[in-house]
Amino acid sequence: MKTQVKALVVGGGAVGTSIAYHLAKAGWDDVMLLERDELTSGSTWHAAGLLPLFNMSFATTHIHKYSVDFYKSLEAETGLNAGFAVVGNLRMAQTQERMDEFMLYASTAETCDVPYVWMTPDEIKAKWPLIRTEDLKGALYHNTDGYINPADVTQAMAKGARQRGVEIVRKWQADAFHWNGDAWEVTCTKMVEKGGNLVPSDEQIVITAEHVVTASGNHAQTTAKKLGIKIPAIPVEHQFIVMDQDPALVQFRSEGNVEHPVIRDADAQSYVREERGGWILGVYEKNAPACFEYGVPDSFRADLFPLDLERIEEQYMAMIHRIPSCEESGLKDDFNGPICYTPDGNPLVGPAPGLRNMWLAEGFSFGITAAGGTGYYLAQMMVHGEAEIDMASLDPKRYGNWMTTEFAARKNEECYDHVYILHHPDEERPACRPLRTSPAYDRQATRGAQFGFVNGWERPNYYAPAGFNDHDSRSFRRGGWWQYAVEEAKAIREGVGLIDATAFTKHRITGAGATAFLDWFTTNKLPRVGRINLTYALTAHGTTRTEYTIVRNGENDYYLVSAGAWTAYDQDYLFKAIEDKEAEFGRINAQDVTTQWGVFAIAGPKSRDVLAAVIKDADPATALSNKRFPWLSAQKIELGMCPVNAIRVAYTGELGWELHHPIEMQNYLFDLLEKAGEPHGMKLVGARAQNWLRQEKSYRAFGNELGRDATPLEADLPRFVDLSKDFHGKDAMLEKGIRSKCVTLLIDGPDDADPWGREALYHGDTRVGRLTSGGYSVAFGKSIGMGYVKPELAVVGTQLQVKMLDQLWPAVIVEDSPYDPQNAAIRADG
Ligand SMILES: Cc1cc2nc3c(=O)[nH]c(=O)nc-3n(C[C@H](O)[C@H](O)[C@H](O)COP(=O)(O)OP(=O)(O)OC[C@H]3O[C@@H](n4cnc5c(N)ncnc54)[C@H](O)[C@@H]3O)c2cc1C
């Protein structure tokens, strides 16, 4: 057994095994995989083995697609047949809303090259007569996926890994991790059997590894403790039952008919597949409990929980409704096992927070489906520095230190319970809320705020009249909330609105090395003292890692504002870069001040009038004029008794200021502004209207247009990239060239729907790109979107089509900032 390796993978389930395989395939010849028990003895052995391509996320769909293709190739490489039954996957809809959901999903499928077919109830009946179809609206059929034997595919990957030089060691547990500055020293303990339990022996060794990956499945909480970090991966109980033979099915198959596809009845929270003349029924039921919050007991090995039939009765009856012939089949076997979840259902894949060369691959609820692709893309990140797709939506740092065990357990139960709900793009989930509230929360709630959940924060999405029910207003088309967002957007364009932007991520950077560091770390020229700049931190591959608004408060005193959803993600990159560069640039202090500063954004042609009424200044009439407070500058002002760091900038593209204030004075400031706004008809405005307004100005959003799959030049933001200086990622950015380009489109879409920002773009019959944002433009009275297309098409006036609700709708590429391209409104004097 080696004691010195390039990479140590901890965990021999489907995920860890795939990672070891792909690290070796990507060129690392010194990889070891450590498993505390036997390969597949975690959740992998008892998975049903379904490989659904259906997924709403762009990155996850890429991962699943890679797996499905990769598993098909494994037998040729290893000689092991993992029993991949490519029977297809039939996803049925009982309602038009469910069909709408499938049509939205189809956008993701298309942009990821996943083939799909629509089927009518009659077509289903003709092909698979055992399925009851009279209550169906239709179905989405994937004919390229199916199911596989999870243990066999893991063993095939293990064989492939061994063939590529990976050492796989069983019955050793990784127990303690120490970073010595260059490598991890991992203390490992030999595990032994004792009375049926698996327990640590006294035998220990230390393995030195340049990189460590943890793929510890249900043991994630123990792993988190050992690493001293937080990992919101906690399992939930998941059940499926195996039924005895169904004579009608046996007869159907004996007549030469092909196997049924995996049948997903989302409206009945169940999936069904054939198993030796009978059926397997798997369900996502209500009240499935979280488990192992504080670790997996020694006694729980390749074990299961007792079946809880009562919990799945409703879904069982629904299955009999769907496939009536199975009613007489008895129960042959049952599986109730732990299935790992995360609060948003996406696994946690990428660099661990605060640690060097430590990679997480935890929290997989579709781990058999995701294993192949996770190994492939994570290996790219580890070996080459970046994956070919943006993995940010899976990044382990999308939850911050505010996250607790209780939060993760309850949210994960909710996530399980929500697997088959209608996934409206305007969905907001209720569990564990409110949790992080800004002081004005109660006031906003009283005024009708309907809140969204952003990195734990409650942020108003829009304001509605008393009695309005957000849940019932959700839709795949224009939801019941749409009219309120329209009114709010108009208020900003025509009058004045107040937005709560407290969730923004805020860092203060000071010290003798601050200026040189930030000059190297970001793409734009640093602002002069008292001014602000928009700028980008790049990955080593030249793509966008973070978007910052930088305020320069002093020679070596900077205030960095970035997206609210990404605090821990931004901070990890920033702090690690500072640690790396401090010796070169001099002392740099970095402080996360996110929760110290509240932010209100006031915007609209009348915003100056509102502020003028409350600003304390020798000459209030001129304090906010262009001369005294020019656009893109920052000043300390006093609004009533509240000290405010005001920044003259507005993400909505109107005259406006961001008012950064001490959080403990937020209610005072709120009341003051509300009163001052009254004579001007000031409206409280939520994030949805803001999102539409920023698209009218072509302002890119992080996580949409901006991410690790495009450079700022591809995002068409050369004005924020100072090519005359050296900065991190510059050469790589230039080397990438312009592979595709960000554009803004006005869309003549359906009367009752706007794009959500994931739709495919067509030029004639050819797919040429995809939307990354979408919404409604009050200025143009039609749908708007932003997205990426091939550079040769990124020309103003190019006619494209957007695929929405399974139809193509005309769209035209317009000039950047189609609303007020000269920025006259923002610069307005007064
Ligand atoms: C009933 C049921 C049905 C399912 N059906 C499907 C399905 O149809 N399709 C699908 O895609 N997914 C399915 N899943 C989910 C799937 O089983 C998991 O997502 C997947 O197995 C996770 O794989 P993993 O490698 O992350 O974890 P695991 O398989 O749990 O592997 C983790 C391994 O790490 C080892 N380990 C932990 N800590 C250490 C340590 N410190 N040192 C050394 N080793 C360690 C453990 O012993 C374990 O073997 C199902 C789950 C359940 C419960």
Side-chain angles (χ1 to χ4, degrees):
M1 181 170 167
K2 287 183 196 163
T3 53
Q4 188 126 23
V5 291
K6 174 93 177 164
L8 179 71
V9 180
V10 178
V15 174
T17 309
S18 168
I19 294 166
Y21 168 95
H22 282 95
L23 282 173
K25 195 170 185 174
W28 280 5
D29 54 10
D30 201 3
V31 176
M32 180 188 269
L33 185 150
L34 205 68
E35 164 56 48
R36 66 190 292 279
D37 200 343
E38 296 292 344
L39 293 183
T40 77
S41 62
S43 274
T44 294
W45 74 271
H46 55 58
L50 313 184
L51 304 174
L53 282 164
F54 185 95
N55 196 283
M56 287 287 187
S57 138
F58 187 70
T60 309
T61 301
H62 273 287
I63 287 173
H64 289 188
K65 181 170 188 300
Y66 175 89
S67 297
V68 167
D69 295 341
F70 166 60
Y71 295 157
K72 287 175 184 162
S73 71
L74 257 185
E75 186 176 356
E77 182 180 340
T78 63
L80 295 181
N81 180 341
F84 192 167
V86 187
V87 295
N89 204 313
L90 186 71
R91 198 166 273 262
M92 300 178 298
Q94 294 185 23
T95 63
Q96 183 54 47
E97 269 231 285
R98 185 66 75 179
M99 286 302 284
D100 279 6
E101 181 187 52
F102 291 173
M103 287 191 270
L104 181 63
Y105 156 74
S107 315
T108 310
E110 238 169 278
T111 54
C112 297
D113 285 324
V114 171
Y116 61 88
V117 176
W118 297 110
M119 287 190 83
T120 64
D122 288 346
E123 285 167 337
I124 298 170
K125 192 83 198 165
K127 212 164 171 187
W128 299 294
L130 297 183
I131 304 176
R132 191 196 294 260
T133 56
E134 60 266 22
D135 58 347
L136 295 182
K137 286 273 180 226
L140 183 80
Y141 179 50
H142 284 120
N143 58 2
T144 52
D145 67 20
Y147 62 88
I148 203 162
N149 185 319
D152 290 351
V153 76
T154 307
Q155 293 296 351
M157 290 190 285
K159 184 169 180 197
R162 285 194 191 96
Q163 283 171 352
R164 293 172 186 276
V166 174
E167 183 176 356
I168 296 182
V169 180
R170 289 165 298 139
K171 300 279 193 237
W172 280 87
Q173 176 169 281
D175 267 331
F177 301 86
H178 170 70
W179 176 248
N180 68 15
D182 294 312
W184 286 98
E185 290 164 4
V186 185
T187 306
C188 304
T189 310
K190 173 107 186 120
M191 302 300 285
V192 291
E193 311 270 343
K194 196 171 173 190
N197 291 355
L198 187 71
V199 295
S201 70
D202 294 336
E203 193 182 340
Q204 289 199 320
I205 55 165
V206 173
I207 298 175
T208 307
E210 213 177 292
H211 292 262
V212 172
V213 188
T214 76
S216 60
N218 301 320
H219 296 258
Q221 290 314 302
T222 314
T223 303
K225 275 210 178 64
K226 289 173 181 171
L227 293 173
I229 60 172
K230 293 188 171 189
I231 303 178
I234 292 177
V236 176
E237 287 186 22
H238 178 44
Q239 319 190 70
F240 69 82
I241 54 177
V242 186
M243 321 268 292
D244 279 330
Q245 283 202 335
D246 170 355
L249 175 61
V250 174
Q251 170 77 24
F252 174 76
R253 292 297 305 280
S254 71
E255 288 162 2
N257 292 305
V258 293
E259 184 170 342
H260 282 80
V262 176
I263 302 163
R264 298 233 172 215
D265 194 349
D267 299 300
Q269 298 95 39
S270 66
Y271 56 82
V272 177
R273 76 159 165 90
E274 286 190 27
E275 173 73 8
R276 295 169 205 272
W279 303 96
I280 283 182
L281 164 71
V283 300
Y284 286 94
E285 76 281 23
K286 294 228 169 307
N287 301 322
C291 50
F292 306 149
E293 288 103 314
Y294 301 100
V296 184
D298 288 342
S299 57
F300 195 97
R301 296 180 63 189
D303 288 316
L304 293 167
F305 305 113
L307 177 70
D308 187 343
L309 258 183
E310 237 170 69
R311 220 166 61 212
I312 64 170
E313 190 183 339
E314 193 187 321
Q315 290 78 15
Y316 176 72
M317 297 312 289
M319 178 202 177
I320 292 174
H321 168 80
R322 187 60 57 215
I323 305 176
S325 63
C326 79
E327 186 166 8
E328 301 306 319
S329 309
L331 185 63
K332 190 161 112 186
D333 208 350
D334 59 84
F335 292 79
N336 181 8
I339 185 166
C340 238
Y341 263 84
T342 63
D344 65 6
N346 259 342
L348 303 152
V349 183
L355 305 174
R356 301 286 175 157
N357 292 7
M358 176 62 69
W359 306 84
L360 304 185
E362 304 284 0
F364 285 84
S365 54
F366 281 92
I368 310 305
T369 321
T374 299
Y376 176 67
Y377 290 113
L378 185 61
Q380 286 184 342
M381 289 169 86
M382 293 173 64
V383 175
H384 307 302
E386 277 298 327
E388 66 200 44
I389 56 169
D390 184 355
M391 296 283 282
S393 58
L394 308 176
D395 195 277
K397 298 174 292 296
R398 60 190 192 273
Y399 297 93
N401 262 339
W402 54 268
M403 196 278 302
T404 56
T405 313
E406 176 67 7
F407 172 85
R410 302 292 83 81
K411 265 301 198 201
N412 293 4
E413 285 171 347
E414 177 189 60
C415 196
Y416 178 89
D417 175 76
H418 279 44
V419 164
Y420 279 141
I421 65 157
L422 285 161
H423 290 288
H424 293 114
D426 49 2
E427 179 191 0
E428 290 292 344
R429 298 184 177 189
C432 308
R433 298 177 60 190
L435 184 61
R436 304 181 80 197
T437 54
S438 59
Y441 171 83
D442 288 336
R443 281 166 166 73
Q444 291 161 349
T446 312
R447 286 147 186 79
Q450 306 292 323
F451 291 94
F453 181 85
V454 183
N455 197 10
W457 288 98
E458 295 295 331
R459 184 181 67 177
N461 275 336
Y462 62 98
Y463 292 78
F468 182 82
N469 185 322
D470 176 73
H471 182 275
D472 296 346
S473 81
R474 295 171 197 163
S475 173
F476 295 93
R477 301 174 185 232
R478 287 175 183 162
W481 52 269
W482 185 86
Q483 55 181 318
Y484 304 119
V486 169
E487 285 164 19
E488 290 169 19
K490 281 189 177 152
I492 287 195
R493 286 281 175 258
E494 293 161 12
V496 56
L498 189 72
I499 298 171
D500 185 346
T502 298
F504 270 157
T505 297
K506 302 142 211 139
H507 285 99
R508 187 171 176 215
I509 311 286
T510 55
T515 299
F517 166 75
L518 286 173
D519 198 39
W520 166 84
F521 187 60
T522 60
T523 57
N524 202 351
K525 274 190 186 59
L526 289 178
R528 286 178 280 122
V529 175
R531 303 286 300 182
I532 73 158
N533 260 352
L534 195 68
T535 189
Y536 299 92
L538 302 188
T539 64
H541 281 222
T543 56
T544 303
R545 183 58 172 67
T546 301
E547 180 182 60
Y548 287 113
T549 300
I550 293 195
V551 184
R552 190 168 189 173
N553 288 322
E555 209 41 56
N556 272 318
D557 188 348
Y558 297 87
Y559 180 70
L560 273 55
V561 183
S562 56
W566 301 91
T567 306
Y569 177 82
D570 290 351
Q571 183 173 111
D572 190 67
Y573 196 63
L574 175 68
F575 284 17
K576 281 175 180 165
I578 288 174
E579 206 177 272
D580 287 344
K581 288 288 175 178
E582 209 169 3
E584 185 180 331
F585 293 128
R587 190 173 55 81
I588 305 160
N589 302 319
Q591 200 190 352
D592 176 5
V593 294
T594 300
T595 53
Q596 292 173 27
W597 293 94
V599 184
F600 291 142
I602 188 166
K606 297 182 185 165
S607 57
R608 184 180 270 127
D609 303 335
V610 176
L611 292 184
V614 291
I615 193 166
K616 298 295 163 192
D617 187 86
D619 185 8
T622 63
L624 300 159
S625 63
N626 281 1
K627 188 154 178 231
R628 289 187 58 199
F629 204 145
W631 183 41
L632 299 179
S633 69
Q635 284 185 32
K636 292 188 192 312
I637 59 173
E638 293 184 1
L639 298 179
M641 292 186 290
C642 184
V644 171
N645 295 335
I647 307 173
R648 186 164 164 196
V649 71
Y651 194 46
T652 47
E654 279 307 326
L655 174 70
W657 282 262
E658 274 180 14
L659 308 170
H660 294 244
H661 53 273
I663 198 131
E664 70 277 16
M665 294 191 181
Q666 180 164 85
N667 279 340
Y668 167 80
L669 183 62
F670 184 88
D671 293 345
L672 188 79
L673 291 172
E674 192 176 49
K675 193 154 171 248
E678 223 167 82
H680 302 283
M682 186 175 80
K683 227 174 159 22
L684 297 176
V685 171
R688 295 212 175 129
Q690 185 186 35
N691 180 42
W692 293 349
L693 291 169
R694 62 106 190 155
Q695 290 179 61
E696 292 177 348
K697 291 294 294 172
S698 303
Y699 292 160
R700 282 74 169 152
F702 190 78
N704 297 54
E705 290 73 42
L706 302 172
R708 273 148 55 192
D709 48 2
T711 70
L713 298 183
E714 290 171 321
D716 205 14
L717 297 166
R719 62 193 182 280
F720 304 116
V721 179
D722 176 11
L723 288 175
S724 70
K725 71 169 192 177
D726 276 334
F727 54 83
H728 177 60
K730 179 181 170 186
D731 293 343
M733 176 192 75
L734 292 173
E735 223 167 84
K736 285 226 153 41
I738 306 291
R739 300 163 298 175
S740 60
K741 208 163 182 182
C742 186
V743 293
T744 304
L745 298 117
L746 286 176
I747 301 156
D748 288 308
D751 288 340
D752 63 346
D754 300 306
W756 293 99
R758 51 173 85 166
E759 292 76 5
L761 290 170
Y762 279 80
H763 187 234
D765 290 338
T766 315
R767 185 159 50 76
V768 291
R770 67 177 177 118
L771 289 186
T772 44
S773 292
Y776 179 73
S777 161
V778 287
F780 295 97
K782 55 171 74 174
S783 295
I784 191 165
M786 296 175 72
Y788 278 83
V789 294
K790 296 175 186 338
E792 58 276 17
L793 289 173
V795 178
V796 172
T798 303
Q799 300 284 340
L800 299 178
Q801 298 179 90
V802 179
K803 191 144 183 199
M804 291 169 61
L805 298 168
D806 202 38
Q807 281 183 51
L808 291 172
W809 303 88
V812 62
I813 295 179
V814 291
E815 66 181 318
D816 228 43
S817 183
Y819 171 77
D820 187 20
Q822 305 306 320
N823 289 327
I826 303 180
R827 293 173 201 261
D829 204 357

